[in-house]
Amino acid sequence: MTHPSDSRAYFFKIDTTIKKIRNVLQKRFNEEGFDLTVDQWVLIDHVARNEGISQNTLAELTTKDAPTVTRILDLLVKKGLVERRMSEEDRRKFNIYLKPEGQKTFETMLPVVKEIRRQGWGELSDEDYGHFVRIMDSIYQNFSD
Amino acid sequence: MTHPSDSRAYFFKIDTTIKKIRNVLQKRFNEEGFDLTVDQWVLIDHVARNEGISQNTLAELTTKDAPTVTRILDLLVKKGLVERRMSEEDRRKFNIYLKPEGQKTFETMLPVVKEIRRQGWGELSDEDYGHFVRIMDSIYQNFSD
DNA sequence: AATCAATAGTTAGTAAACCAATTTGTGCTC
DNA sequence: GAGCACAAATTGGTTTACTAACTATTGATT
């Protein structure tokens, strides 16, 4: 390996790490009896912080595409956690809201998710966080041309 | 945000970055006329470097699970790039080999993949690579208890 | 030699990602 | 106000991930 960028390692490491995180989250959700997938949680989280958000905006914020958001919302609606309300000013749009049950789910799950975030970061420092953000942003940026 | 680990940012950043990498790879594959998905490429790559590997070992090396490997191999076999040969010493196992067409595909695609790796790493330094590996391994390790 | 747990791989079902195509609605222009 | 490009959301098809259940084979124990 003459240079790091020559190795397969960095794609692989990112892939492995995100898979691990998702696995840990999902397993913990199941243990706690939370009937949600990780991606369903991600949407709930964003709707909770942006009541009345549109599906397209939700897609942007989560870096999911429109069909994916449609289908995850279908499941959340079926579970009674979320509702679509017709937008007043644009009849193509829906405004997405948490139902009371969804709000309760959000509040119950949030502390657990926060705990897992802390566990993952462990003893890494603020300086490490700086490195991390800089490196990830840089890779992203290098691919956005 | 009192502490980095309190923010949603690091899960999200890893997720976003790997998605970006996969998108760039896939788009480039399509432009070049390579009829493979990224994950199919990952298997080809590992088989090329480990002729006769078993499916289970392939699964370990790629952090994919057994059913996923089965199905991706099914597709690669159908495309005529790979073949399963019965193992001599254990009739439960297959040994996986590239067919000539698969070898050709591997050799054609490898330089392109290397180029994209280099592009992604860009001007980041060897020191950055050290930080990167340490941080990713640390997160992984924090979740492996 | 017979049993039985463990291993390699497959199959089935659900969820999510991506692309392409479609439907409905908006707003601009002529 | 008719036509047209554009936008929001949905639908369909293929691929991958995860779990669980299943088949066939191996190897260890008794």
Side-chain angles (χ1 to χ4, degrees):
Chain A
M1 187 198 320
T2 57
H3 186 275
S5 72
D6 234 25
S7 125
R8 278 165 298 162
Y10 86 98
F11 286 7
F12 181 71
K13 231 171 231 315
I14 297 175
D15 196 54
T16 303
T17 305
I18 193 65
K19 272 185 192 165
K20 183 68 167 185
I21 292 173
R22 286 176 162 274
N23 277 338
V24 168
L25 279 167
Q26 188 65 61
K27 284 217 172 82
R28 184 67 184 280
F29 286 1
N30 296 342
E31 283 166 19
E32 299 278 346
F34 301 154
D35 178 30
L36 281 190
T37 66
V38 172
D39 295 289
Q40 287 165 17
W41 158 258
V42 169
L43 285 207
I44 293 271
D45 187 33
H46 278 85
V47 174
R49 295 168 200 279
N50 302 276
E51 289 272 320
I53 193 174
S54 75
Q55 296 191 192
N56 269 356
T57 309
L58 209 39
E60 273 177 38
L61 293 183
T62 58
T63 66
K64 297 181 184 303
D65 63 0
T68 299
V69 168
T70 292
R71 283 167 179 138
I72 297 178
L73 285 180
D74 286 346
L75 293 170
L76 292 175
V77 167
K78 199 184 304 178
K79 289 181 181 178
L81 302 179
V82 146
E83 67 180 337
R84 289 179 168 103
R85 296 190 203 148
M86 267 236 157
S87 165
E88 301 288 333
E89 72 277 7
D90 186 337
R91 286 186 305 172
R92 291 171 303 183
K93 287 190 186 175
F94 290 114
N95 299 120
I96 311 299
Y97 291 88
L98 290 190
K99 297 184 74 168
E101 192 62 30
Q103 183 64 32
K104 221 173 82 191
T105 299
F106 172 67
E107 284 164 13
T108 308
M109 292 180 67
L110 185 57
V112 173
V113 173
K114 280 190 175 171
E115 183 203 322
I116 296 176
R117 279 181 208 145
R118 270 194 301 277
Q119 180 191 345
W121 195 252
E123 301 299 319
L124 289 166
S125 66
D126 287 9
E127 201 186 333
D128 290 329
Y129 192 72
H131 288 309
F132 170 78
V133 170
R134 179 176 52 80
I135 293 170
M136 287 294 157
D137 284 351
S138 178
I139 293 172
Y140 191 94
Q141 206 44 53
N142 290 336
F143 280 132
S144 304
D145 304 326
Chain B
M1 189 198 317
T2 57
H3 186 275
S5 72
D6 234 25
S7 125
R8 279 166 297 161
Y10 85 98
F11 286 8
F12 180 70
K13 230 172 234 314
I14 298 175
D15 196 53
T16 302
T17 306
I18 193 66
K19 271 186 194 167
K20 184 67 168 186
I21 292 174
R22 286 175 163 275
N23 276 339
V24 168
L25 278 168
Q26 189 65 61
K27 283 216 174 84
R28 183 67 183 278
F29 286 1
N30 297 343
E31 282 167 19
E32 299 278 346
F34 301 156
D35 178 29
L36 282 189
T37 66
V38 172
D39 294 290
Q40 289 164 15
W41 158 256
V42 169
L43 285 207
I44 293 269
D45 186 34
H46 278 85
V47 174
R49 296 168 200 279
N50 303 276
E51 289 271 319
I53 192 173
S54 74
Q55 296 192 190
N56 269 354
T57 309
L58 209 39
E60 274 177 36
L61 293 183
T62 58
T63 66
K64 297 183 184 302
D65 61 2
T68 299
V69 169
T70 293
R71 283 174 177 132
I72 297 179
L73 285 180
D74 286 347
L75 291 171
L76 293 175
V77 167
K78 198 182 306 175
K79 290 181 181 178
L81 303 179
V82 146
E83 67 180 336
R84 290 178 167 104
R85 297 190 203 149
M86 267 237 156
S87 165
E88 302 288 332
E89 72 277 7
D90 186 338
R91 287 186 305 170
R92 290 170 303 181
K93 286 189 186 177
F94 290 115
N95 299 119
I96 311 297
Y97 292 88
L98 289 191
K99 299 184 73 168
E101 191 61 29
Q103 183 65 32
K104 220 174 82 189
T105 300
F106 172 67
E107 285 163 13
T108 308
M109 291 181 68
L110 184 57
V112 173
V113 172
K114 280 190 175 171
E115 183 203 322
I116 296 175
R117 280 181 208 142
R118 269 194 303 278
Q119 180 191 345
W121 195 253
E123 301 300 320
L124 289 166
S125 67
D126 288 8
E127 202 187 331
D128 289 330
Y129 192 72
H131 288 310
F132 170 78
V133 171
R134 179 176 51 80
I135 293 170
M136 286 294 156
D137 284 350
S138 179
I139 293 173
Y140 191 94
Q141 207 43 54
N142 291 336
F143 280 132
S144 303
D145 303 323

